[in-house]
Amino acid sequence: MGTTSFLGSAWALLHIQNQLVRECLAEMLAVLVLILITLSGSAQMVTSSESKGNILTAYLAGALAVMVSIYIAGGVSGAHLNPAFSLAMCLLEQFPWWKLPIFVAVQTSGAFVSAGAVYAVYHDAIHHYSNGTLTAFGPRETASIFATYPADYLSLSNGFLDQVVATAVLIVGILAILDTRNKGVPKGLEPVAVALLVLSLEVSMGSNCGCPMNPARDFGPRLFTYVAGWGTEVFRWVEVRG
């Protein structure tokens, strides 16, 4: 009886009534899981020199992370996970504009914190692989674990176009999956369909920029690498590449 009473009191204390706070917490938790799994897939591939993972396993990790994250927050915040998707919902008048900066801040913060968690988990592997030198370029670079960097041949304009097209296809695909007037996805399997959509984009449009399609997913971890020791070169890919 005492234990039941204690648990009931604890639940009442932790239960959050404010809907916006609930949505923000759900969105942050979902982004934390999304980025944790996604970046860990990249970390395992890079630090093992592809002996314990490759580009396909990294893409699978990212796609499955999307599925899990939607299941986590879909019923509370809608599992936007992505500022671009939140913006699209605003433009379609399905999400209030005043919530947009709040969601963007939460998504980016969640990605930043999650990058720190990945760095902690793979700290020894990263420093062993890089010989203790944290760099964004060169044969032993490790910044690409956390953020996406363009191929050597890619121009700024082509990189911009690449991401506009990939993100547009992602959003159109998600809207089609969620449209009840469309050929419906079985209820409860929408996250699986979105994960397959993400995987299809990664394996078909990943060679130019790594196919981030998510400003929070890229900027949050990139900001973490800046403060964690990789330095300003993580923001200067155009100038460094010349």
Side-chain angles (χ1 to χ4, degrees):
M1 180 67 70
T3 302
T4 303
S5 177
F6 171 77
L7 292 175
S9 299
W11 173 252
L13 181 64
L14 295 173
H15 186 64
I16 299 172
Q17 299 290 341
N18 186 282
Q19 181 61 25
L20 178 60
V21 175
R22 287 164 58 87
E23 290 175 2
C24 288
L25 289 175
E27 196 75 8
M28 178 166 280
L29 178 59
V31 172
L32 280 168
V33 172
L34 169 65
I35 304 304
L36 181 65
I37 297 175
T38 299
L39 300 190
S40 292
S42 296
Q44 182 165 294
M45 174 185 68
V46 171
T47 59
S48 70
S49 299
E50 298 194 18
S51 66
K52 296 180 181 178
N54 54 40
I55 192 65
L56 181 57
T57 63
Y59 285 160
L60 281 170
L64 293 174
V66 169
M67 178 189 71
V68 174
S69 298
I70 296 174
Y71 277 123
I72 288 173
V76 182
S77 68
H80 289 197
L81 310 177
N82 185 338
F85 184 75
S86 296
L87 175 61
M89 292 296 97
C90 289
L91 293 172
L92 294 171
E93 298 184 348
Q94 296 182 23
F95 190 68
W97 282 98
W98 66 267
K99 280 188 179 181
L100 178 61
I102 298 173
F103 264 48
V104 171
V106 168
Q107 292 157 356
T108 305
S109 299
F112 179 92
V113 173
S114 192
V118 172
Y119 181 60
V121 170
Y122 278 93
H123 177 273
D124 292 353
I126 289 171
H127 282 268
H128 173 72
Y129 173 80
S130 65
N131 295 319
T133 302
L134 301 179
T135 180
F137 301 95
R140 290 285 174 172
E141 64 81 21
T142 48
S144 63
I145 291 172
F146 299 91
T148 56
Y149 290 84
D152 291 338
Y153 56 78
L154 197 68
S155 66
L156 180 60
S157 58
N158 197 176
F160 178 79
L161 177 64
D162 175 271
Q163 283 309 290
V164 168
V165 172
T167 304
V169 173
L170 172 68
I171 292 173
V172 169
I174 293 174
L175 292 176
I177 290 169
L178 298 178
D179 190 350
T180 56
R181 299 166 298 178
N182 208 341
K183 198 163 189 175
V185 175
K187 186 172 178 58
L189 291 181
E190 296 90 346
V192 178
V194 175
L196 291 173
L197 169 63
V198 171
L199 180 61
S200 71
L201 289 169
E202 289 177 326
V203 299
S204 63
M205 302 182 71
S207 63
N208 282 338
C209 298
C211 212
M213 302 179 291
N214 185 336
R217 175 259 178 273
D218 192 81
F219 180 72
R222 191 183 300 272
L223 182 61
F224 171 80
T225 56
Y226 168 69
V227 301
W230 276 263
T232 57
E233 64 179 349
V234 300
F235 290 111
R236 296 207 322 258
W237 61 268
V238 176
E239 290 85 350
V240 172
R241 284 171 55 245

